[in-house]
Amino acid sequence: MKRKGILVVVSGFSGAGKGTLMKNLIKTYDNYALSISMTTRQPRDGEQEGREYFFVSKEAFEEKAGQDGLIEYACYCGNYYGTPKEYVETQLGMGKDVILEIEIQGALKIKKKFPSALLLFVMPPSAEQLKKRLAGRGTETQEVIEKRLHRAVEEAKGIGSYDYIVVNDDLEMCTRELHSIIRAAHSAVARNEEWIENMRQELDVLVKGEK
């Protein structure tokens, strides 16, 4: 049986450390492909085109969306974010588990289009720790930090739509937990219907042959 890749959607509050967690997962384990999102926001210090994001203009983004070149897209804090379709489909076909690090609006759209997608939500140990992490970045103004915290209040209402939560307190421990959840998801009955049906047919042939 050829192993098919799983579409893994990872969301979390801004400042929960999901980006660092995803990079550590890719570095630690094989067979993962991290999808690179397209966005209209400006690059932060140290970010590179084609590594963290594909940075494009609003006009270029809307053109891509109009050509059905994105699996999903949404507006977050005044900027567009979207998932290019071609890369994801190619990696899944190769048997890779594709990680999509996207916000909650996009995640719920993915779940509608791909019911077999695995949805994970990364959380900080506490709300106070979240605020400290946002302030500790040193990349955002106080106004932006407050905006992200208010956004987190709204996002928290949608966590119930996810399959699992992962509390990011210790990076290495959280990485192992995330990997274990994804490995276990490969054995879910809903993701192995074709293999199960083949087994049923083989058993029928075997039993009939013994009569």
Side-chain angles (χ1 to χ4, degrees):
M1 179 186 68
K2 183 181 178 182
R3 176 188 178 282
K4 294 181 179 179
I6 291 179
L7 191 57
V8 183
V9 179
V10 179
S11 304
F13 306 131
S14 178
K18 57 186 179 298
T20 302
L21 180 60
M22 295 305 98
K23 289 175 184 175
N24 199 48
L25 182 73
I26 299 294
K27 182 182 72 174
T28 307
Y29 301 100
D30 294 330
N31 208 60
Y32 289 114
L34 183 61
S35 177
I36 302 172
S37 295
M38 181 180 290
T39 182
T40 58
R41 80 158 170 77
Q42 292 298 307
R44 295 187 184 126
D45 288 343
E47 289 183 334
Q48 293 181 15
E49 166 70 17
R51 188 179 69 182
E52 280 79 17
Y53 288 97
F54 293 116
F55 298 99
V56 299
S57 66
K58 181 180 178 182
E59 292 73 22
F61 190 100
E62 291 176 343
E63 181 179 354
K64 191 76 171 178
Q67 295 171 347
D68 195 30
L70 301 172
I71 290 178
E72 58 74 38
Y73 68 94
C75 189
Y76 174 72
C77 290
N79 288 300
Y80 282 125
Y81 294 81
T83 304
K85 181 189 290 185
E86 184 178 357
Y87 175 84
V88 171
E89 292 180 341
T90 299
Q91 296 299 317
L92 288 175
M94 293 169 59
K96 293 274 189 180
D97 293 328
V98 179
I99 311 291
L100 302 185
E101 184 194 329
I102 54 179
E103 49 68 56
I104 195 166
Q105 287 176 286
L108 298 183
K109 290 178 182 178
I110 289 284
K111 192 65 173 179
K112 286 184 179 180
K113 289 185 178 181
F114 302 91
S116 63
L118 177 65
L119 268 59
L120 307 172
F121 197 91
V122 179
M123 302 177 69
S126 67
E128 188 61 35
Q129 186 62 234
L130 178 67
K131 185 175 183 179
K132 287 181 180 178
R133 289 180 184 180
L134 284 170
R137 279 179 174 176
T139 57
E140 280 112 3
T141 63
Q142 185 60 37
E143 181 182 357
V144 171
I145 290 173
E146 292 300 324
K147 192 174 184 179
R148 293 189 184 280
L149 288 173
H150 279 89
R151 174 67 177 175
V153 171
E154 294 303 312
E155 289 176 327
K157 297 175 183 177
I159 296 176
S161 299
Y162 284 71
D163 298 306
Y164 294 91
I165 62 167
V166 182
V167 178
N168 187 15
D169 191 4
D170 179 275
L171 178 61
E172 296 304 325
M173 186 181 297
C174 189
T175 301
R176 290 194 296 271
E177 181 181 355
L178 189 63
H179 177 67
S180 296
I181 290 171
I182 298 170
R183 292 300 89 202
H186 275 279
S187 298
V189 169
R191 295 187 177 90
N192 290 278
E193 292 178 347
E194 184 179 344
W195 188 87
I196 293 169
E197 183 56 33
N198 288 338
M199 176 61 74
R200 288 171 178 155
Q201 293 176 10
E202 290 174 6
L203 287 168
D204 285 342
V205 170
L206 187 65
V207 170
K208 289 176 182 178
E210 291 179 350
K211 291 182 179 179

